Amino acid sequence: MTPLPFQSRREPHPHPRTDSEREAVLADPGFGTHFTDHMFLTEWTPDAGWHDARVVPYGPLSMDPATAVLHYAQEIFEGLKAYSHADGSVWLFRPEENAARMRRSAWRLALPELPEEWFLGSIRDLVEADRAWVPHGGETSLYLRPFMFASEVFLGVRPSQHVTYSVIASPAGSYFPGGVKPVSIWLSTDYARAGAGGTGAAKCGGNYAASLRPQQVAIDNGCAQVAFLDDVEHRWIEELGGMNLYFVQSDGSIVTPELSGSILEGVTRDSILQIARDLGHEVEERRVSIEEWREGAADGTITEVFACGTAAVVTPVGALKWDGGQAVAGDGGAGKVTMEIRSSLVDLQYGRADDPHGWLTRVA
Ligand SMILES: *Cc1c(COP(=O)(O)O)cnc(C)c1O
């Protein structure tokens, strides 16, 4: 069915937070615990397609206990940020990429595809309604979380015939308020995040559910994140639970694991392929083995390792640890190339540098 042109109605919050309540939150927003006054909602059915797009007061969704998503996890999500520039305007970074990835994720999970116009419109309308919630200064942003789930009340196993798409927004403080600090990573040898033919390339909640046990093992071993290997040879580096990986080599070139079908294609990963080239680095996408990481860190061929994703942007990896050993690239601190790439990306997102690739979209 041809989708309808996007149009949403707004039902303003009858009791939005006062200016002082909002400012108290924005003074120290943290991550993912505070939400704005409104949310976006729309529903899909096979007969009506996507319909009833609306910005409504933020609040609980009431669900029948037999709602399909609660049983079979037919759910996908996205994550992107709205950035406040020095002149007060508000911008998104490559939102078309999130829209396209959400369509790919939807296809894999047998959910209906949301047209790009609807994805961008949903975000624009929510940001407009809650513009006062976009934080200013430092590396603060309004984190946007679009998500789609099976909302049919039915316990049979088949693609849902009623689907809900929503966007919520959460003010986010600087990820590294005290300056960028390297994280330690635990190498998971017992668990895979995703397998060949599975859902690793789709941004679905189920992948995260599968990463939580290994994540707990990482925490028990004093690490912040887990690195996963491929599930066939248990040898090739895939990614972290929610971030992609990059390696800086002693000749100045940069390597990231090539998309394997089970790696999530990050917008940050893709942007860094370009930014690193713009900065004059050779960039390769190829398989990287766990031996290459261990030996390269030991003999100095790998000088820096970093992780990347929307939430933390670029995070230096200090040590890779496993039962009985560890590998530390360079001096284990935040490397020079890592920080150069990080500031190029952040400066572009916050409008402090040119945007040669047309990656920014103004929303308010
Ligand atoms: C979202 C996500 C990333 C990072 O993607 P970005 O678009 O850069 O935020 C990487 N890996 C996984 C598993 C993810 O879910």
Side-chain angles (χ1 to χ4, degrees):
M1 137 179 326
T2 319
L4 295 172
F6 176 76
Q7 203 180 2
S8 83
R9 64 185 164 84
R10 191 189 300 184
E11 190 186 307
H13 200 299
H15 313 289
R17 252 83 41 95
T18 63
D19 289 351
S20 63
E21 284 169 337
R22 189 180 60 246
E23 272 147 29
V25 169
L26 294 182
D28 184 20
F31 183 81
T33 50
H34 298 284
F35 300 92
T36 62
D37 288 321
H38 298 90
M39 63 192 201
F40 178 92
L41 280 170
T42 179
E43 267 91 35
W44 176 93
T45 58
D47 294 340
W50 289 108
H51 61 277
D52 199 15
R54 57 209 190 271
V55 173
V56 296
Y58 185 94
L61 301 170
S62 149
M63 268 200 264
D64 189 288
T67 302
V69 66
L70 300 176
H71 303 272
Y72 308 125
Q74 194 190 5
E75 186 268 356
I76 57 173
F77 66 94
E78 272 301 323
L80 68 167
K81 289 170 168 176
Y83 305 89
S84 183
H85 287 191
D87 65 359
S89 56
V90 179
W91 301 75
L92 304 176
F93 179 72
R94 307 187 74 189
E96 324 73 33
E97 296 300 318
N98 298 93
R101 184 169 68 192
M102 193 163 212
R103 289 197 301 279
R104 296 197 297 274
S105 300
W107 188 87
R108 180 63 183 83
L109 276 281
L111 285 162
E113 293 181 13
L114 184 76
E116 177 177 298
E117 190 199 349
W118 281 62
F119 183 90
L120 299 178
S122 67
I123 287 169
R124 184 174 285 120
D125 289 0
L126 182 60
V127 172
E128 200 176 283
D130 286 331
R131 187 188 172 133
W133 285 92
V134 185
H136 298 270
E139 279 182 27
T140 62
S141 61
L142 184 65
Y143 183 78
L144 296 156
R145 168 53 61 87
F147 60 107
M148 187 193 291
F149 61 92
S151 44
E152 184 178 1
V153 178
F154 180 52
L155 289 186
V157 181
R158 57 147 170 73
S160 184
Q161 302 298 295
H162 191 284
V163 174
T164 301
Y165 166 78
S166 176
V167 188
I168 55 176
S170 174
S174 299
Y175 200 86
F176 295 105
V180 176
K181 289 215 179 57
V183 295
S184 295
I185 307 273
W186 183 254
L187 176 66
S188 181
T189 46
D190 299 336
Y191 303 102
R193 187 190 78 92
T199 55
K203 206 166 177 74
C204 64
N207 292 340
Y208 279 72
S211 75
L212 296 178
R213 175 54 53 202
Q215 172 74 22
Q216 187 57 49
V217 176
I219 291 168
D220 293 345
N221 284 282
C223 293
Q225 292 277 334
V226 202
F228 291 101
L229 301 175
D230 79 285
D231 76 312
V232 179
E233 292 182 63
H234 306 290
R235 176 169 180 218
W236 306 103
I237 314 278
E238 294 250 294
E239 58 171 317
L240 307 185
M243 284 194 268
N244 297 114
L245 279 169
Y246 269 92
F247 301 86
V248 181
Q249 306 184 109
S250 51
D251 63 0
S253 67
I254 290 167
V255 185
T256 191
E258 69 185 11
L259 298 175
S260 60
S262 46
I263 291 178
L264 194 286
E265 187 174 359
V267 178
T268 319
R269 173 191 180 279
D270 186 70
S271 306
I272 290 172
L273 290 176
Q274 184 64 51
I275 284 178
R277 285 190 186 112
D278 294 347
L279 290 168
H281 297 280
E282 295 264 330
V283 186
E284 275 181 285
E285 292 178 85
R286 63 165 169 81
R287 296 202 294 184
V288 180
S289 70
I290 187 61
E291 299 86 51
E292 182 178 353
W293 186 346
R294 285 178 181 164
E295 287 160 19
D299 69 16
T301 351
I302 293 176
T303 53
E304 303 174 27
V305 182
F306 65 86
C308 64
T310 297
V313 200
V314 167
T315 305
V317 172
L320 173 74
K321 301 186 181 182
W322 59 87
D323 242 337
Q326 63 169 4
V328 179
D331 62 5
K336 186 169 152 286
V337 176
T338 301
M339 295 308 286
E340 179 195 24
I341 289 172
R342 188 178 203 285
S343 40
S344 299
L345 181 54
V346 169
D347 285 349
L348 196 160
Q349 290 168 332
Y350 286 92
R352 298 188 295 253
D354 288 345
D355 175 21
H357 307 289
W359 281 345
L360 298 183
T361 298
R362 185 168 178 177
V363 281

